[in-house]
Amino acid sequence: MSVTVYVPGDAAALALGADEVAAAIATAAAQRGLKLRIVRNGSRGLFWLEPLVEVATAQGRIAYGPVTAADVPGLFAADFTAGGKHRLRLGDIAAVPYLARQQRVTMHRVGVIDPLSLSDYRAHGGGKGLEIARSLAPAEIVRMVTDSGLRGRGGAAFPTGIKWKTVLDTASAQKYIVCNADEGDSGTFADRMLMEGDPFCLIEGMAIAGLAVGADKGYIYVRSEYPHAIAALNAALDNAGGWLGDFRIEVRKGAGAYVCGEETALLESIEGKRGIVRSKPPLPAISGLFGRPTVINNVITLASVPDILAQGAAYYRDFGVGRSRGTLPFQLAGNVKYGGLIEVPFGCTLRELLYDYGGGSRSGRPLRAVQVGGPLGAYLPESQFDTVLDYEAFAAVGAVLGHGGIVAFDDTVDMARQARYAMKFCAIESCGKCTPCRIGSTRGVEVIDRIRAGATEQIPLLRDLCDTMTAGSLCAMGGMTPYPVLSALNHFPEDFQ
Amino acid sequence: MNTTLNTIFARHQHRDGALLPILHDIQHELGYVPDEAVPLIARALNLSRAEVHGVITYYHHFRRTPPDRHVVHVCCAEACQANGSEALANHAAARLQQGDIAMEPVYCLGLCSIGPAIQIDETTLHARVTPEKFDALIAALGEQS
Ligand SMILES: Cc1cc2nc3c(=O)[nH]c(=O)nc-3n(C[C@H](O)[C@H](O)[C@H](O)COP(=O)(O)O)c2cc1C
Ligand code: SF4
Ligand code: FES
């Protein structure tokens, strides 16, 4: 009988040598005349253990990690294909506390299944949501999504059901489903992991959205920095056969512009234009891609839908706190010992993620500042680490959850420099449509440079500039750059002296 | 060049919003989007030259001149900064000063837990890159060619 070995094909595992490990395992097996099937699964998201190799045995899957190509002969000598003893043996990875304490809902198949096999997907519960959706009226599908309490995971946290209802209620012969897979925020990688590790889940979510609003065409706009995700989606679509019925999906590659994550800039980009933000109204739900009613949602938003259909709205809504329902795949990054993907219901605290999961800093020095929500998110000081992770609690301390990216810095960080970086990033990535963002960010860099050179009397000027950007910008690029800048200034004033 | 372009046009012309897919394919085949291609693209898609030029120059990804033999993208975004990417980028810039390897910043490769991260020639990814590891990767590039 042939043995099945799982070696992740996830981009993070590849960056740590997974291809070399897979090749070494294949070669060693051939030399031994051992029949072996290597599955390139996604990542479980415990990155300090990648490449994480798993073997299917009679006692279940046994994990070894982190494995290098040089470890492979030793693993064979230890009979790892039968789950043998070895210093890298971790046993059942699902029982490791980091994973066991999570509640994986949206990401539950990532790292488990063969991402490109539709039958494996179905064997792990995939496809049920679409089947149920096919038996429902569009309004009933929209109702379930509304009742689940699902809010957009791309950043703005807008209720998904309400967006879908607008598209459903807008008459048009052609409508579109657009998936925002631009994931430009530093510290975020959940979209990438889902697309690489469980692409059928996103595809199913889009097909359900199509049934819900009456759209037969979908686009997935993926950033060019994610070639592996693009390849996985295209391969999955090739393998989908007739599963999607009349619904067609096309993958579009972005071209390195952060602002194309903004939904209207993204639509312009798919249309073949410069990705410049459109003023609203009209909302994309009414006049979106090529002027047609369009649902535009983040990857995780759409990938949450199949489970909501399959398990019921209440199942999903029962996770979470307050108005933040369900789970969020948090992404723990930066200077932490155990960085990775942590999917838990809303309601735990930042400190729990940083210390109970993350194990504190990688450098061994105290953590000093944590940026949550990407480059437009606020920096939180230690005194705010007990903030509960839900949309409202973060808003209450002047911060945002955004896409759930958490980036930790130790005490060597210079917060005036981080503030400068935020302004600089805005200057580089601004679409240029409005003056406060286009010019303000450039002036912002200059003012911070002067402050850092000792001109502290210019701090009020910096605050004025931030006010102008907040009030005068058309989109969150210019409108939210003041979050990292002002939070740095307010919580870490000593770095500006 | 014209045959290449015509093949690419034929592949995408029928699509709605075909410009980005066309530019991607041209850059994939030729390594860059030559200025001479602009009028041809404009004609194929019934756009003005200014529109095509505007799109090429708007996006960071497209280049108008042939790239160096190798391009190394070093992540300069926050999570990598928290793990010392700035020092790595400085080291890389100094290391690559002579020669035909270009260093370009990139803002996040989705490897934010295992930074600093780099990407070489848009194909291979590397994590937890120290200056020593960087030098070894660059040396290996030399041996390949
Ligand atoms: C500058 C900027 C960048 C954004 N980048 C992304 C992104 O990379 N991915 C994403 O899903 N949403 C991004 N958004 C939010 C989108 O505009 C939009 O709110 C989202 O795609 C809606 O989907 P959701 O309701 O499922 O979250 C960005 C917004 C702004 C202003
Ligand atoms: S705020 Fe900036 S990115 Fe947004 S529309 Fe204005 S110029 Fe463009
Ligand atoms: S910040 Fe460098 S890979 Fe994300």
Side-chain angles (χ1 to χ4, degrees), chain A residues 16-58:
Chain A
L16 294 166
D19 272 347
E20 290 80 353
V21 171
I25 291 175
T27 309
Q31 279 163 1
R32 275 156 229 258
L34 187 69
K35 269 228 173 101
L36 190 136
R37 187 174 75 103
I38 298 180
V39 172
R40 304 307 300 268
N41 56 331
S43 171
R44 303 272 195 163
L46 285 66
F47 293 124
W48 68 101
L49 296 177
E50 289 288 2
L52 180 89
V53 174
E54 287 180 82
V55 191
T57 73

mmCIF file of all heavy atoms in Angstrom, chain A residues 16-58:
data_model
loop_
_atom_site.group_PDB
_atom_site.id
_atom_site.type_symbol
_atom_site.label_atom_id
_atom_site.label_comp_id
_atom_site.label_asym_id
_atom_site.label_seq_id
_atom_site.Cartn_x
_atom_site.Cartn_y
_atom_site.Cartn_z
ATOM 1 N N LEU A 16 10.537 28.653 3.235
ATOM 2 C CA LEU A 16 11.361 27.990 4.247
ATOM 3 C C LEU A 16 11.894 26.645 3.737
ATOM 4 O O LEU A 16 12.403 25.836 4.509
ATOM 5 C CB LEU A 16 10.541 27.795 5.527
ATOM 6 C CG LEU A 16 10.151 29.106 6.227
ATOM 7 C CD1 LEU A 16 9.068 28.869 7.270
ATOM 8 C CD2 LEU A 16 11.374 29.771 6.859
ATOM 9 N N GLY A 17 11.752 26.392 2.442
ATOM 10 C CA GLY A 17 12.411 25.215 1.863
ATOM 11 C C GLY A 17 11.546 23.999 1.626
ATOM 12 O O GLY A 17 12.051 22.885 1.471
ATOM 13 N N ALA A 18 10.220 24.157 1.543
ATOM 14 C CA ALA A 18 9.334 22.994 1.406
ATOM 15 C C ALA A 18 9.555 22.211 0.106
ATOM 16 O O ALA A 18 9.450 20.985 0.095
ATOM 17 C CB ALA A 18 7.874 23.429 1.515
ATOM 18 N N ASP A 19 9.869 22.929 -0.980
ATOM 19 C CA ASP A 19 10.105 22.217 -2.248
ATOM 20 C C ASP A 19 11.314 21.286 -2.140
ATOM 21 O O ASP A 19 11.284 20.154 -2.628
ATOM 22 C CB ASP A 19 10.341 23.212 -3.395
ATOM 23 C CG ASP A 19 9.038 23.637 -4.064
ATOM 24 O OD1 ASP A 19 7.995 22.992 -3.809
ATOM 25 O OD2 ASP A 19 9.080 24.611 -4.845
ATOM 26 N N GLU A 20 12.365 21.756 -1.500
ATOM 27 C CA GLU A 20 13.569 20.942 -1.330
ATOM 28 C C GLU A 20 13.248 19.714 -0.471
ATOM 29 O O GLU A 20 13.729 18.613 -0.738
ATOM 30 C CB GLU A 20 14.695 21.758 -0.667
ATOM 31 C CG GLU A 20 15.291 22.860 -1.555
ATOM 32 C CD GLU A 20 14.442 24.131 -1.617
ATOM 33 O OE1 GLU A 20 13.307 24.151 -1.075
ATOM 34 O OE2 GLU A 20 14.915 25.115 -2.234
ATOM 35 N N VAL A 21 12.422 19.926 0.545
ATOM 36 C CA VAL A 21 12.042 18.803 1.416
ATOM 37 C C VAL A 21 11.222 17.781 0.627
ATOM 38 O O VAL A 21 11.476 16.570 0.695
ATOM 39 C CB VAL A 21 11.255 19.314 2.645
ATOM 40 C CG1 VAL A 21 10.657 18.152 3.435
ATOM 41 C CG2 VAL A 21 12.153 20.166 3.530
ATOM 42 N N ALA A 22 10.275 18.260 -0.165
ATOM 43 C CA ALA A 22 9.442 17.344 -0.955
ATOM 44 C C ALA A 22 10.316 16.550 -1.922
ATOM 45 O O ALA A 22 10.139 15.330 -2.080
ATOM 46 C CB ALA A 22 8.373 18.133 -1.717
ATOM 47 N N ALA A 23 11.260 17.234 -2.560
ATOM 48 C CA ALA A 23 12.140 16.551 -3.521
ATOM 49 C C ALA A 23 12.990 15.501 -2.816
ATOM 50 O O ALA A 23 13.158 14.373 -3.308
ATOM 51 C CB ALA A 23 13.025 17.573 -4.237
ATOM 52 N N ALA A 24 13.511 15.860 -1.634
ATOM 53 C CA ALA A 24 14.363 14.917 -0.896
ATOM 54 C C ALA A 24 13.561 13.690 -0.469
ATOM 55 O O ALA A 24 14.059 12.552 -0.522
ATOM 56 C CB ALA A 24 14.967 15.611 0.326
ATOM 57 N N ILE A 25 12.300 13.908 -0.088
ATOM 58 C CA ILE A 25 11.458 12.776 0.323
ATOM 59 C C ILE A 25 11.179 11.870 -0.885
ATOM 60 O O ILE A 25 11.279 10.635 -0.795
ATOM 61 C CB ILE A 25 10.143 13.267 0.969
ATOM 62 C CG1 ILE A 25 10.451 13.913 2.323
ATOM 63 C CG2 ILE A 25 9.139 12.124 1.132
ATOM 64 C CD1 ILE A 25 9.248 14.539 3.013
ATOM 65 N N ALA A 26 10.881 12.470 -2.034
ATOM 66 C CA ALA A 26 10.587 11.672 -3.229
ATOM 67 C C ALA A 26 11.811 10.838 -3.631
ATOM 68 O O ALA A 26 11.693 9.640 -3.937
ATOM 69 C CB ALA A 26 10.164 12.587 -4.367
ATOM 70 N N THR A 27 12.975 11.469 -3.606
ATOM 71 C CA THR A 27 14.201 10.766 -3.990
ATOM 72 C C THR A 27 14.493 9.619 -3.035
ATOM 73 O O THR A 27 14.777 8.484 -3.454
ATOM 74 C CB THR A 27 15.399 11.749 -3.977
ATOM 75 O OG1 THR A 27 15.035 12.889 -4.743
ATOM 76 C CG2 THR A 27 16.648 11.121 -4.565
ATOM 77 N N ALA A 28 14.433 9.909 -1.751
ATOM 78 C CA ALA A 28 14.752 8.881 -0.755
ATOM 79 C C ALA A 28 13.767 7.708 -0.853
ATOM 80 O O ALA A 28 14.161 6.542 -0.726
ATOM 81 C CB ALA A 28 14.725 9.487 0.648
ATOM 82 N N ALA A 29 12.509 8.005 -1.104
ATOM 83 C CA ALA A 29 11.515 6.935 -1.227
ATOM 84 C C ALA A 29 11.817 6.072 -2.447
ATOM 85 O O ALA A 29 11.753 4.838 -2.379
ATOM 86 C CB ALA A 29 10.109 7.533 -1.322
ATOM 87 N N ALA A 30 12.152 6.745 -3.566
ATOM 88 C CA ALA A 30 12.469 5.992 -4.791
ATOM 89 C C ALA A 30 13.652 5.071 -4.566
ATOM 90 O O ALA A 30 13.641 3.899 -4.973
ATOM 91 C CB ALA A 30 12.742 6.973 -5.932
ATOM 92 N N GLN A 31 14.681 5.597 -3.876
ATOM 93 C CA GLN A 31 15.869 4.773 -3.583
ATOM 94 C C GLN A 31 15.503 3.533 -2.778
ATOM 95 O O GLN A 31 16.090 2.483 -2.924
ATOM 96 C CB GLN A 31 16.898 5.591 -2.809
ATOM 97 C CG GLN A 31 17.743 6.487 -3.690
ATOM 98 C CD GLN A 31 18.452 7.572 -2.886
ATOM 99 O OE1 GLN A 31 18.323 7.639 -1.666
ATOM 100 N NE2 GLN A 31 19.205 8.414 -3.575
ATOM 101 N N ARG A 32 14.538 3.687 -1.921
ATOM 102 C CA ARG A 32 14.136 2.558 -1.073
ATOM 103 C C ARG A 32 13.064 1.697 -1.708
ATOM 104 O O ARG A 32 12.565 0.760 -1.085
ATOM 105 C CB ARG A 32 13.581 3.109 0.251
ATOM 106 C CG ARG A 32 14.667 3.381 1.260
ATOM 107 C CD ARG A 32 14.208 4.438 2.260
ATOM 108 N NE ARG A 32 15.257 5.436 2.369
ATOM 109 C CZ ARG A 32 16.112 5.480 3.375
ATOM 110 N NH1 ARG A 32 16.005 4.632 4.358
ATOM 111 N NH2 ARG A 32 17.075 6.370 3.392
ATOM 112 N N GLY A 33 12.625 2.076 -2.908
ATOM 113 C CA GLY A 33 11.563 1.330 -3.569
ATOM 114 C C GLY A 33 10.247 1.423 -2.830
ATOM 115 O O GLY A 33 9.392 0.543 -2.893
ATOM 116 N N LEU A 34 10.086 2.541 -2.099
ATOM 117 C CA LEU A 34 8.875 2.718 -1.306
ATOM 118 C C LEU A 34 7.843 3.497 -2.107
ATOM 119 O O LEU A 34 8.145 4.544 -2.674
ATOM 120 C CB LEU A 34 9.253 3.497 -0.038
ATOM 121 C CG LEU A 34 8.193 3.653 1.025
ATOM 122 C CD1 LEU A 34 7.901 2.324 1.695
ATOM 123 C CD2 LEU A 34 8.672 4.662 2.073
ATOM 124 N N LYS A 35 6.639 2.965 -2.175
ATOM 125 C CA LYS A 35 5.550 3.679 -2.872
ATOM 126 C C LYS A 35 5.060 4.798 -1.974
ATOM 127 O O LYS A 35 4.666 4.564 -0.835
ATOM 128 C CB LYS A 35 4.398 2.715 -3.145
ATOM 129 C CG LYS A 35 4.481 2.010 -4.467
ATOM 130 C CD LYS A 35 3.102 2.111 -5.157
ATOM 131 C CE LYS A 35 3.135 1.582 -6.565
ATOM 132 N NZ LYS A 35 2.591 0.226 -6.649
ATOM 133 N N LEU A 36 5.054 6.013 -2.530
ATOM 134 C CA LEU A 36 4.733 7.145 -1.670
ATOM 135 C C LEU A 36 4.010 8.213 -2.485
ATOM 136 O O LEU A 36 4.400 8.512 -3.609
ATOM 137 C CB LEU A 36 6.067 7.659 -1.126
ATOM 138 C CG LEU A 36 6.115 8.674 -0.052
ATOM 139 C CD1 LEU A 36 7.166 8.262 0.975
ATOM 140 C CD2 LEU A 36 6.525 9.991 -0.638
ATOM 141 N N ARG A 37 2.943 8.741 -1.933
ATOM 142 C CA ARG A 37 2.205 9.805 -2.614
ATOM 143 C C ARG A 37 2.420 11.092 -1.821
ATOM 144 O O ARG A 37 2.167 11.118 -0.614
ATOM 145 C CB ARG A 37 0.717 9.445 -2.630
ATOM 146 C CG ARG A 37 -0.152 10.384 -3.446
ATOM 147 C CD ARG A 37 -1.580 9.839 -3.519
ATOM 148 N NE ARG A 37 -2.285 10.022 -2.271
ATOM 149 C CZ ARG A 37 -3.209 10.979 -2.062
ATOM 150 N NH1 ARG A 37 -3.518 11.811 -3.030
ATOM 151 N NH2 ARG A 37 -3.819 11.081 -0.906
ATOM 152 N N ILE A 38 2.946 12.105 -2.502
ATOM 153 C CA ILE A 38 3.157 13.376 -1.793
ATOM 154 C C ILE A 38 2.032 14.344 -2.148
ATOM 155 O O ILE A 38 1.812 14.641 -3.308
ATOM 156 C CB ILE A 38 4.522 13.998 -2.149
ATOM 157 C CG1 ILE A 38 5.651 13.055 -1.725
ATOM 158 C CG2 ILE A 38 4.686 15.364 -1.489
ATOM 159 C CD1 ILE A 38 7.042 13.571 -2.020
ATOM 160 N N VAL A 39 1.316 14.809 -1.135
ATOM 161 C CA VAL A 39 0.262 15.806 -1.334
ATOM 162 C C VAL A 39 0.815 17.161 -0.921
ATOM 163 O O VAL A 39 1.372 17.302 0.167
ATOM 164 C CB VAL A 39 -0.990 15.462 -0.486
ATOM 165 C CG1 VAL A 39 -2.001 16.597 -0.538
ATOM 166 C CG2 VAL A 39 -1.618 14.162 -0.965
ATOM 167 N N ARG A 40 0.663 18.146 -1.799
ATOM 168 C CA ARG A 40 1.103 19.496 -1.449
ATOM 169 C C ARG A 40 -0.095 20.237 -0.851
ATOM 170 O O ARG A 40 -0.877 20.862 -1.558
ATOM 171 C CB ARG A 40 1.647 20.229 -2.688
ATOM 172 C CG ARG A 40 2.798 19.489 -3.398
ATOM 173 C CD ARG A 40 3.961 19.111 -2.489
ATOM 174 N NE ARG A 40 4.601 20.228 -1.843
ATOM 175 C CZ ARG A 40 5.660 20.871 -2.353
ATOM 176 N NH1 ARG A 40 6.171 20.519 -3.509
ATOM 177 N NH2 ARG A 40 6.230 21.850 -1.687
ATOM 178 N N ASN A 41 -0.242 20.131 0.449
ATOM 179 C CA ASN A 41 -1.362 20.778 1.143
ATOM 180 C C ASN A 41 -1.052 22.248 1.408
ATOM 181 O O ASN A 41 0.040 22.724 1.115
ATOM 182 C CB ASN A 41 -1.663 20.020 2.453
ATOM 183 C CG ASN A 41 -0.451 19.910 3.350
ATOM 184 O OD1 ASN A 41 0.675 19.885 2.861
ATOM 185 N ND2 ASN A 41 -0.671 19.839 4.652
ATOM 186 N N GLY A 42 -2.011 22.946 1.976
ATOM 187 C CA GLY A 42 -1.752 24.314 2.417
ATOM 188 C C GLY A 42 -0.967 24.271 3.719
ATOM 189 O O GLY A 42 -0.463 23.217 4.120
ATOM 190 N N SER A 43 -0.875 25.409 4.400
ATOM 191 C CA SER A 43 -0.165 25.424 5.676
ATOM 192 C C SER A 43 -1.173 25.468 6.822
ATOM 193 O O SER A 43 -2.228 26.082 6.696
ATOM 194 C CB SER A 43 0.743 26.649 5.754
ATOM 195 O OG SER A 43 1.266 26.791 7.059
ATOM 196 N N ARG A 44 -0.822 24.814 7.928
ATOM 197 C CA ARG A 44 -1.659 24.929 9.134
ATOM 198 C C ARG A 44 -1.495 26.302 9.768
ATOM 199 O O ARG A 44 -2.225 26.670 10.678
ATOM 200 C CB ARG A 44 -1.226 23.871 10.158
ATOM 201 C CG ARG A 44 -1.283 22.447 9.623
ATOM 202 C CD ARG A 44 -2.644 21.841 9.842
ATOM 203 N NE ARG A 44 -2.612 20.395 9.666
ATOM 204 C CZ ARG A 44 -3.556 19.567 10.102
ATOM 205 N NH1 ARG A 44 -4.595 20.043 10.743
ATOM 206 N NH2 ARG A 44 -3.470 18.283 9.891
ATOM 207 N N GLY A 45 -0.443 27.017 9.351
ATOM 208 C CA GLY A 45 -0.252 28.365 9.855
ATOM 209 C C GLY A 45 0.531 28.447 11.151
ATOM 210 O O GLY A 45 0.438 29.431 11.875
ATOM 211 N N LEU A 46 1.316 27.416 11.457
ATOM 212 C CA LEU A 46 2.230 27.464 12.605
ATOM 213 C C LEU A 46 3.635 27.598 11.995
ATOM 214 O O LEU A 46 4.337 26.614 11.822
ATOM 215 C CB LEU A 46 2.110 26.187 13.447
ATOM 216 C CG LEU A 46 0.868 26.030 14.345
ATOM 217 C CD1 LEU A 46 -0.412 25.906 13.513
ATOM 218 C CD2 LEU A 46 0.995 24.798 15.235
ATOM 219 N N PHE A 47 3.994 28.825 11.682
ATOM 220 C CA PHE A 47 5.120 29.007 10.756
ATOM 221 C C PHE A 47 6.478 28.639 11.326
ATOM 222 O O PHE A 47 7.386 28.324 10.576
ATOM 223 C CB PHE A 47 5.134 30.432 10.203
ATOM 224 C CG PHE A 47 3.965 30.712 9.316
ATOM 225 C CD1 PHE A 47 3.111 31.764 9.584
ATOM 226 C CD2 PHE A 47 3.692 29.892 8.232
ATOM 227 C CE1 PHE A 47 2.011 32.003 8.770
ATOM 228 C CE2 PHE A 47 2.600 30.114 7.413
ATOM 229 C CZ PHE A 47 1.757 31.179 7.692
ATOM 230 N N TRP A 48 6.623 28.672 12.656
ATOM 231 C CA TRP A 48 7.923 28.283 13.210
ATOM 232 C C TRP A 48 8.145 26.775 13.039
ATOM 233 O O TRP A 48 9.251 26.280 13.227
ATOM 234 C CB TRP A 48 8.057 28.704 14.679
ATOM 235 C CG TRP A 48 7.135 27.930 15.582
ATOM 236 C CD1 TRP A 48 7.484 26.870 16.367
ATOM 237 C CD2 TRP A 48 5.728 28.136 15.781
ATOM 238 N NE1 TRP A 48 6.375 26.400 17.025
ATOM 239 C CE2 TRP A 48 5.288 27.151 16.695
ATOM 240 C CE3 TRP A 48 4.799 29.053 15.281
ATOM 241 C CZ2 TRP A 48 3.959 27.068 17.105
ATOM 242 C CZ3 TRP A 48 3.478 28.954 15.686
ATOM 243 C CH2 TRP A 48 3.075 27.983 16.585
ATOM 244 N N LEU A 49 7.098 26.037 12.678
ATOM 245 C CA LEU A 49 7.220 24.599 12.455
ATOM 246 C C LEU A 49 7.285 24.238 10.972
ATOM 247 O O LEU A 49 7.359 23.067 10.613
ATOM 248 C CB LEU A 49 6.039 23.858 13.093
ATOM 249 C CG LEU A 49 5.932 23.962 14.612
ATOM 250 C CD1 LEU A 49 4.677 23.253 15.101
ATOM 251 C CD2 LEU A 49 7.167 23.365 15.290
ATOM 252 N N GLU A 50 7.235 25.239 10.101
ATOM 253 C CA GLU A 50 7.300 24.952 8.665
ATOM 254 C C GLU A 50 8.752 24.802 8.217
ATOM 255 O O GLU A 50 9.619 25.513 8.725
ATOM 256 C CB GLU A 50 6.627 26.076 7.865
ATOM 257 C CG GLU A 50 5.110 26.126 8.003
ATOM 258 C CD GLU A 50 4.395 24.983 7.279
ATOM 259 O OE1 GLU A 50 5.075 24.121 6.683
ATOM 260 O OE2 GLU A 50 3.170 24.963 7.329
ATOM 261 N N PRO A 51 9.008 23.919 7.232
ATOM 262 C CA PRO A 51 8.081 22.997 6.592
ATOM 263 C C PRO A 51 7.625 21.893 7.552
ATOM 264 O O PRO A 51 8.451 21.208 8.145
ATOM 265 C CB PRO A 51 8.888 22.388 5.446
ATOM 266 C CG PRO A 51 10.010 23.350 5.205
ATOM 267 C CD PRO A 51 10.306 23.960 6.550
ATOM 268 N N LEU A 52 6.291 21.771 7.659
ATOM 269 C CA LEU A 52 5.663 20.806 8.551
ATOM 270 C C LEU A 52 5.196 19.614 7.709
ATOM 271 O O LEU A 52 4.279 19.741 6.921
ATOM 272 C CB LEU A 52 4.464 21.448 9.244
ATOM 273 C CG LEU A 52 3.721 20.542 10.213
ATOM 274 C CD1 LEU A 52 4.337 20.641 11.606
ATOM 275 C CD2 LEU A 52 2.250 20.906 10.293
ATOM 276 N N VAL A 53 5.863 18.496 7.896
ATOM 277 C CA VAL A 53 5.547 17.311 7.101
ATOM 278 C C VAL A 53 4.615 16.420 7.914
ATOM 279 O O VAL A 53 4.840 16.213 9.109
ATOM 280 C CB VAL A 53 6.849 16.560 6.745
ATOM 281 C CG1 VAL A 53 6.547 15.245 6.035
ATOM 282 C CG2 VAL A 53 7.740 17.444 5.881
ATOM 283 N N GLU A 54 3.565 15.920 7.270
ATOM 284 C CA GLU A 54 2.662 14.994 7.960
ATOM 285 C C GLU A 54 2.577 13.677 7.185
ATOM 286 O O GLU A 54 2.644 13.678 5.956
ATOM 287 C CB GLU A 54 1.258 15.601 8.071
ATOM 288 C CG GLU A 54 1.159 16.728 9.078
ATOM 289 C CD GLU A 54 -0.253 17.269 9.143
ATOM 290 O OE1 GLU A 54 -1.094 16.671 9.825
ATOM 291 O OE2 GLU A 54 -0.515 18.296 8.496
ATOM 292 N N VAL A 55 2.422 12.602 7.944
ATOM 293 C CA VAL A 55 2.285 11.285 7.333
ATOM 294 C C VAL A 55 0.954 10.682 7.770
ATOM 295 O O VAL A 55 0.602 10.751 8.954
ATOM 296 C CB VAL A 55 3.392 10.332 7.832
ATOM 297 C CG1 VAL A 55 3.403 9.059 6.999
ATOM 298 C CG2 VAL A 55 4.738 11.007 7.767
ATOM 299 N N ALA A 56 0.241 10.117 6.796
ATOM 300 C CA ALA A 56 -1.012 9.429 7.147
ATOM 301 C C ALA A 56 -0.671 8.023 7.629
ATOM 302 O O ALA A 56 -0.076 7.246 6.891
ATOM 303 C CB ALA A 56 -1.933 9.376 5.935
ATOM 304 N N THR A 57 -1.007 7.720 8.880
ATOM 305 C CA THR A 57 -0.745 6.383 9.430
ATOM 306 C C THR A 57 -2.058 5.791 9.931
ATOM 307 O O THR A 57 -3.091 6.473 9.944
ATOM 308 C CB THR A 57 0.226 6.437 10.632
ATOM 309 O OG1 THR A 57 -0.481 6.998 11.755
ATOM 310 C CG2 THR A 57 1.455 7.283 10.344
ATOM 311 N N ALA A 58 -1.968 4.531 10.361
ATOM 312 C CA ALA A 58 -3.168 3.878 10.891
ATOM 313 C C ALA A 58 -3.694 4.618 12.123
ATOM 314 O O ALA A 58 -4.892 4.613 12.410
ATOM 315 C CB ALA A 58 -2.858 2.421 11.232
#
